[in-house]
Each structure stands twice: as structure tokens, then as C-alpha cells.
Amino acid sequence: MKNILEVKNLNVYYTDKGSLFHGKKEEKHALKNVSFTMREGEILGLVGESGCGKTSLAKALLGMQKKYDGEIRLDCANPQMVFQDPYGSLNPAKRIGWILEEPLRMKHAYSAEERRQKVDEMLDKVGLDRKCREHYPNELSGGQRQRMTIARAVVRDPEILILDDSASALDFATDAKLRHAIREMGNDMVVIIVSQRSSSIQYADQIIVLDDGKVVGIGTHDSLLAENEVYQEIYYSQFPKEAAGNEK
């Protein structure tokens, strides 16, 4: 399998504008010396507390960060990113079916019936009723909109898909079904899942733990849970019963 993504010594910076009374601007690190590699078909989890640099890393991979140094080698032509709150990216005047078919119309490779079938299949995979194609974005719940925007991204057949806390509005059962669906439909697609919820990334091929912009752990869920204090703290804060069980 070929490498799709290589990151070496990545530093991302931002400008702290200061407070009302202390207005001096100061350049600070959002990420410090981050390095990792991903191959075809791999799923990577990025986990850490709010403000640790997860989204800064995801945006840097797609060229959405202006201030950075280091190396980012992305060997793919069609990356897609799904944000936590997708509502602003949806045309409120168009029905869901039209929105999902739009990328297929741009390819000029599908008939109207083929587009409809492909969209119906994608709705099935992300756990949405096919009747949703007749709804407008404002008629869907937050969780339904998240699943719909994931379907819109995947229908483009991306080589790399970045999900930036895009399952945060889903309950645990729906989140688990969606993760399984993404793995099944991914084939050689690289998937990066950004989350504060450890259950969303625990079945990833590798997990990167970020703390204050630094990588403090890389491994599988089991290896990190056994050895990494930051990951343990995140996981057991979300599953306290397991923590209590380990103390017995």
C-alpha cells in the first residue's frame, strides 16, 4: 500500500490578539513538531481536549492554515472535510436529494436514475431514511444534518476524508453504526476522525493523542489505554464505570 499522507515536523502558528486591556499581539504555537504517516485504507483518530490543536492539524492538511512550517505531502486529488456544524454549507433553498446529487451531476457520468440510486444507497449507509431526500436542511435534526453532509462528502469518492467532530450530535449507537459504515464503504479511502469522544476513534488503525499542541501518544486504543496517561484520562472521564472497575 502506498503512502497517501506524510507529515514531518509540522508547526502551526496563530496570532493571539490579547485582551481589551493588554492589546499586544503575540504569535503562539497551535501545533509543535507533529509527524506521522498514513497509507491507503487507514483510519486515523485525532483525540485531545478542546484547544489541543486537533482542528488546526486537520485544516493544515488541506492548506487551510496560513502560518505553518514543516512538510505536508498529500498524495491525492480529491480530499473532503466535514465540519462539526455543517448547516452553513447547505443551500437552504434546495432539498436534500438535490444537494446530494450535485457532485454527481458535476461529473456528467451518471444518468438521473443512476444518481438517484447512488444517493439512496448513500442514505442507507449513513442511516437516514430515503424520504429525507424530499426534505430541506432546516427540517433535519443536527445529527441528521451531520450524517447527510458525510454522505455528500463520500459520494464524491474522496481519497481522503476528514471528519472534524462531525458525529458530535449523534448518540453512541448511531455513531457506532456510522463508523462501521464509513469503514465498509471506504475501500482505499484514508479517513481522519477528529473527536473529543474516545468512542468515535477507538477502532481506528492508529490514534494520535494531542495535548497543548504536542503529540503525546501514537498507537492503538488498547496500547494507549494501557500506557498513555493523557488518553487514559480522556477515556475514563467518559467511561467512569470502567475506571471504577479497574480500581477494584
Side-chain angles (χ1 to χ4, degrees):
M1 294 187 294
K2 70 175 183 178
N3 289 344
I4 293 294
L5 174 63
E6 294 182 63
V7 178
K8 294 182 180 179
N9 302 320
L10 177 65
N11 294 280
V12 174
Y13 308 92
Y14 69 95
T15 300
D16 185 348
K17 297 181 180 180
S19 66
L20 179 64
F21 300 104
H22 300 85
K24 184 179 179 180
K25 294 182 179 180
E26 185 179 356
E27 192 170 83
K28 294 186 176 182
H29 271 87
L31 289 171
K32 305 169 187 176
N33 296 317
V34 174
S35 299
F36 64 94
T37 300
M38 292 190 70
R39 296 182 177 181
E40 289 177 325
E42 285 189 334
I43 296 179
L44 170 71
L46 297 178
V47 68
E49 298 295 338
S50 179
C52 70
K54 301 186 301 294
T55 298
S56 294
L57 174 54
K59 288 183 176 180
L61 298 179
L62 299 185
M64 299 169 67
Q65 293 285 1
K66 295 181 180 179
K67 296 181 179 181
Y68 76 90
D69 58 51
E71 292 185 43
I72 300 175
R73 296 180 182 178
L74 188 59
D75 186 15
C76 72
N78 184 29
Q80 294 290 316
M81 185 168 181
V82 180
F83 293 95
Q84 181 177 8
D85 183 5
Y87 190 66
S89 67
L90 304 176
N91 188 335
K94 298 296 184 180
R95 298 180 191 271
I96 299 305
W98 188 96
I99 293 172
L100 291 178
E101 286 186 24
E102 183 181 19
L104 303 177
R105 284 193 295 271
M106 294 173 66
K107 289 185 176 182
H108 304 293
Y110 300 94
S111 67
E113 182 58 29
E114 287 172 334
R115 291 197 303 267
R116 185 178 184 88
Q117 289 179 356
K118 194 168 180 67
V119 166
D120 283 345
E121 290 172 3
M122 197 58 61
L123 289 172
D124 292 342
K125 288 178 179 178
V126 299
L128 288 176
D129 193 303
R130 293 184 180 185
K131 293 179 181 178
C132 284
R133 64 160 43 252
E134 302 301 327
H135 295 172
Y136 292 95
N138 69 318
E139 296 176 322
L140 301 183
S141 68
Q144 287 174 322
R145 283 197 295 268
Q146 286 184 331
R147 281 180 279 171
M148 192 277 291
T149 50
I150 291 172
R152 182 178 62 173
V154 175
V155 82
R156 298 172 185 264
D157 294 323
E159 292 181 69
I160 182 168
L161 175 65
I162 301 176
L163 306 176
D164 184 15
D165 242 351
S166 52
S168 58
L170 305 181
D171 58 69
F172 285 103
T174 304
D175 183 19
K177 291 178 182 177
L178 183 59
R179 281 186 279 108
H180 178 74
I182 289 172
R183 183 176 283 276
E184 289 297 310
M185 61 186 160
N187 297 320
D188 291 334
M189 180 174 66
V190 166
V191 181
I192 298 176
I193 302 174
V194 179
S195 184
Q196 294 184 57
R197 185 190 290 182
S198 56
S199 61
S200 295
I201 50 89
Q202 70 182 86
Y203 297 108
D205 297 300
Q206 62 175 329
I207 298 169
I208 293 178
V209 186
L210 290 169
D211 185 41
D212 192 27
K214 298 178 182 178
V215 175
V216 295
I218 298 180
T220 64
H221 167 74
D222 289 339
S223 66
L224 291 169
L225 193 59
E227 301 173 355
N228 189 276
E229 292 184 3
V230 176
Y231 189 77
Q232 290 169 353
E233 183 177 347
I234 294 170
Y235 182 80
Y236 289 130
S237 68
Q238 297 168 15
F239 298 97
K241 290 185 179 179
E242 292 194 28
N246 287 341
E247 292 174 359
K248 293 180 179 179

